[in-house]
Amino acid sequence: MGGTAQKHRGNRYGRSEEARQSVLEAADDLLVEVGYARLTIEGIAERAGVAKQTIYRWWTSKNDILMDAFVQDAAEALIPSDTGDLRHDLRTHARNVAAFLTASDAGAVFRALTAQAQHDPALAARLQAEHLGKQRGHDRLPFERAHIRGDLDPGVDIDLAVDQIMGPIYYRVLVTGEPVTREFTDTLVDAVLSRG
Amino acid sequence: MGGTAQKHRGNRYGRSEEARQSVLEAADDLLVEVGYARLTIEGIAERAGVAKQTIYRWWTSKNDILMDAFVQDAAEALIPSDTGDLRHDLRTHARNVAAFLTASDAGAVFRALTAQAQHDPALAARLQAEHLGKQRGHDRLPFERAHIRGDLDPGVDIDLAVDQIMGPIYYRVLVTGEPVTREFTDTLVDAVLSRG
Amino acid sequence: MGGTAQKHRGNRYGRSEEARQSVLEAADDLLVEVGYARLTIEGIAERAGVAKQTIYRWWTSKNDILMDAFVQDAAEALIPSDTGDLRHDLRTHARNVAAFLTASDAGAVFRALTAQAQHDPALAARLQAEHLGKQRGHDRLPFERAHIRGDLDPGVDIDLAVDQIMGPIYYRVLVTGEPVTREFTDTLVDAVLSRG
Amino acid sequence: MGGTAQKHRGNRYGRSEEARQSVLEAADDLLVEVGYARLTIEGIAERAGVAKQTIYRWWTSKNDILMDAFVQDAAEALIPSDTGDLRHDLRTHARNVAAFLTASDAGAVFRALTAQAQHDPALAARLQAEHLGKQRGHDRLPFERAHIRGDLDPGVDIDLAVDQIMGPIYYRVLVTGEPVTREFTDTLVDAVLSRG
DNA sequence: GACTAACCGAGACGGTACGTCCGGTCTTCCG
DNA sequence: CGGAAGACCGGACGTACCGTCTCGGTTAGTC
């Protein structure tokens, strides 16, 4: 990315963008096909048509690869709309988050990464820095816009409100495994907005 | 236990209770000492002073062992008190759940199991059947007691209320990694009770 | 053996003859079916319908079992005929030895035992004591009978003569793997008798 | 050797000659030290300072390793001298064969391989192809040289003569366990030469 | 236009742990 | 007290990946 990697196949002036892409795609595909436990670096290398050493030159672990793949895929996702109607924007955003987590390939990668982050502080930090921080910013957006518009009760703690909407969604996905319906997300939004 | 396993060291009339205990304790200890990733069945066997085959005779995987260890440890934990005051009981329970998740050895095992359950449906099912189902029952108890006492607004959806309190707690623990303070849990309880 | 074992199934008055026979037959059968390398004590026990401990109570190793099985089977075999004609008796005996080694089940057991005796001195000693010593006596018989009849040149070293006939037969069977034909054994006999 | 394996430590252009040698020497040493039965591939790997997988990459079994070790060691051994005197050359050769079989490390490996070849046809074939065939050629040499010199009775069957000398030697070594004395081998040679 | 440093594929290597098989021992209950 | 059953500790099996290390080939800027 960025401009260092061009079309060459790799030499002292830069890495092979082609190899990079092959690896990320192979990792994505294999995660979906065989699952996290059976995802191996050797398998990724073979599927990508790349030497194992090439992977070790640029990534430190399979989590590192998945993290890159996830960042690339999920880069622009999950920015809430801005219709000027707080309730509507929140309801739509909550639904989108639920769909992302339960129905998309990127969501599968996210769940795998979140799982591994439980026992890998470095991964947890990267996930926080490169995704969760930004995502929290997105999750706060509807409230901040409403605040600017003057539509928001000044007593509202935005971080708490975000936790109260997002928390139960992630809880169902990661812990209880229950389906996350539209009724459920709408109710969560309404509960937060009806308070105060 | 149960009557099948007695004092013998294992023969055709039953397994060795001593070996069973050694394995579960070794697994617990090693998880805390070296972490999930470096927890191996060979390591458990060595620490427990047990042959590897004895482990494979009774358990199918290291997750299976951890599940047993967790069920044994967490069996009686996290039952909410009953003071007759719904708000008080909920606040105390929420604090206890948070402490369990973040500060106890059993909580560490739970987080590891929840993580692995993301890519192991069989483990997810066992976790649901042997812990989460029962725990949800416990989490509902304060509301049900209040309902019986006539202290609860009849319009309250108990399952939703539980998700709204527990969801954000697990979300912070498993996803964002933020600390779960007493203020946070109290506020969650109050938000649920103030609605309607 | 001996008379201590009768029809009972094993109690304080002696071992079970039935179990003994089952084990020896199972060992014989399995040796032919799966070969020496895949012959296991557990396999013999299962096939014989006998507990492993019963085998360990009476035998020390699978070689020990095979040795018993072999002694029982080959007990009366390979005694040379006595027609009064040294050349004829030797030729017939040499042919019988060759047939035993190459074409019989007992011969297969013998070859397996001889092989293992190369790296098991205890087995070598038992094989010598319980079979080879007796067999050497049988191999010498035609010469001794001829000696008594006065048909044998007094200068003949009987042990050497036996080695010169038997040696090449065993050599072909155990080492070169060449077929041992009637022409070959007849020639060996003639060569020994023509000398002197 | 031969050009494929050079000084490198093993890469796609060839294997590590150093590892190959370590394994063969470790196998040789351990066979003598602990005996065939206690010779394990793990033991060889540890002694050789080599990974188990490296052994499995290049050899199929411990017999395969021993076969390689034997071929390398015994390559040039046991070629009979050529003094122009058939009786003398045969006597010397017979004594050398006996000494090889009973007193040398390579002979110990040979006996182990011959033993295993009884129940391993593939090993028997390799032993035949890579050693016994060549050795039989060597064993025939004195007779062939004498034939060329015109010193040999044309009626002599060389293969039979070789069997009559070598057979009893191997028989004593592999079967009866009797010592193979100089008198014994000399007598065998004389018996073959005095016929006709 | 030859040189050269970094990247690339390929894959051998020393390791660790896997899950299985079997050896030999021990314990329990039955006959 | 012998035997059936089978759990137990121990150790080796053969396999799968790990992460490291050469190799020879390729490529693009430099001299």
Side-chain angles (χ1 to χ4, degrees), chain D residues 60-79:
Chain D
T60 63
S61 63
K62 71 179 183 181
N63 288 335
D64 196 28
I65 301 171
L66 287 177
M67 190 70 222
D68 267 19
F70 175 66
V71 166
Q72 176 162 299
D73 288 1
E76 300 302 323
L78 296 176
I79 299 180

Side-chain angles (χ1 to χ4, degrees), chain A residues 89-175:
Chain A
D89 288 349
L90 282 176
R91 283 181 161 201
T92 306
H93 185 55
R95 279 207 291 278
N96 287 343
V97 167
F100 164 78
L101 289 174
T102 58
S104 71
D105 280 3
V109 177
F110 173 77
R111 276 180 285 129
L113 288 169
T114 302
Q116 292 319 110
Q118 300 307 315
H119 17 76
D120 182 346
L123 176 60
R126 247 200 105 190
L127 197 56
Q128 178 64 42
E130 301 190 30
H131 176 69
L132 294 172
K134 196 193 319 176
Q135 187 56 44
R136 160 129 310 215
H138 293 166
D139 296 341
R140 290 170 51 95
L141 264 182
F143 291 102
E144 289 171 346
R145 292 168 181 153
H147 176 69
I148 291 169
R149 287 195 305 267
D151 290 352
L152 192 66
D153 182 329
V156 168
D157 176 339
I158 295 183
D159 275 320
L160 176 66
V162 168
D163 282 352
Q164 286 177 314
I165 295 173
M166 293 301 153
I169 296 173
Y170 283 85
Y171 176 59
R172 286 205 161 182
V173 171
L174 297 175
V175 181

Side-chain angles (χ1 to χ4, degrees), chain B residues 49-187:
Chain B
V50 143
K52 209 164 40 151
Q53 185 58 43
T54 298
I55 294 184
Y56 282 105
R57 197 173 357 251
W58 301 108
W59 291 277
T60 62
S61 64
K62 71 179 181 182
N63 288 336
D64 196 29
I65 302 171
L66 287 177
M67 192 67 223
D68 266 20
F70 175 66
V71 166
Q72 176 162 302
D73 289 1
E76 300 303 322
L78 296 176
I79 298 180
S81 59
D82 183 7
T83 64
D85 177 350
L86 175 58
R87 183 179 308 263
H88 179 263
D89 288 347
L90 282 176
R91 284 182 161 200
T92 305
H93 185 56
R95 276 206 294 277
N96 287 342
V97 167
F100 164 78
L101 288 175
T102 57
S104 70
D105 281 3
V109 177
F110 174 77
R111 276 179 284 127
L113 287 170
T114 302
Q116 292 318 111
Q118 301 307 314
H119 16 76
D120 182 346
L123 175 61
R126 250 200 101 190
L127 198 56
Q128 177 64 45
E130 301 189 29
H131 175 69
L132 294 171
K134 197 194 315 179
Q135 187 57 42
R136 161 127 314 214
H138 295 165
D139 295 342
R140 290 171 50 98
L141 264 182
F143 292 103
E144 288 170 348
R145 290 167 181 156
H147 177 69
I148 289 170
R149 288 195 304 266
D151 291 351
L152 192 68
D153 183 329
V156 168
D157 177 338
I158 296 183
D159 274 319
L160 176 66
V162 168
D163 280 352
Q164 284 178 315
I165 295 173
M166 295 299 153
I169 295 173
Y170 283 84
Y171 175 59
R172 287 206 159 181
V173 171
L174 297 174
V175 181
T176 70
E178 286 171 288
V180 184
T181 63
R182 176 169 173 168
E183 288 70 32
F184 183 68
T185 55
D186 284 356
T187 307

Side-chain angles (χ1 to χ4, degrees), chain B residues 8-13 40-42 52-53 56:
Chain B
H8 51 74
R9 292 164 61 180
N11 59 22
R12 77 156 132 164
Y13 298 97
T40 67
I41 290 192
E42 290 204 337
K52 209 164 40 151
Q53 185 58 43
Y56 282 105

Side-chain angles (χ1 to χ4, degrees), chain C residues 86-126:
Chain C
L86 176 58
R87 182 179 308 264
H88 179 264
D89 287 348
L90 283 176
R91 285 182 161 200
T92 306
H93 185 56
R95 278 207 293 277
N96 287 342
V97 167
F100 164 78
L101 288 174
T102 57
S104 70
D105 280 3
V109 177
F110 174 77
R111 276 180 283 128
L113 287 169
T114 302
Q116 292 319 110
Q118 301 306 314
H119 17 75
D120 181 347
L123 175 61
R126 249 199 103 188

Side-chain angles (χ1 to χ4, degrees), chain C residues 157-174:
Chain C
D157 177 340
I158 296 184
D159 274 320
L160 177 66
V162 167
D163 280 354
Q164 285 178 314
I165 295 174
M166 293 301 154
I169 295 173
Y170 283 84
Y171 176 58
R172 287 205 160 182
V173 171
L174 297 175

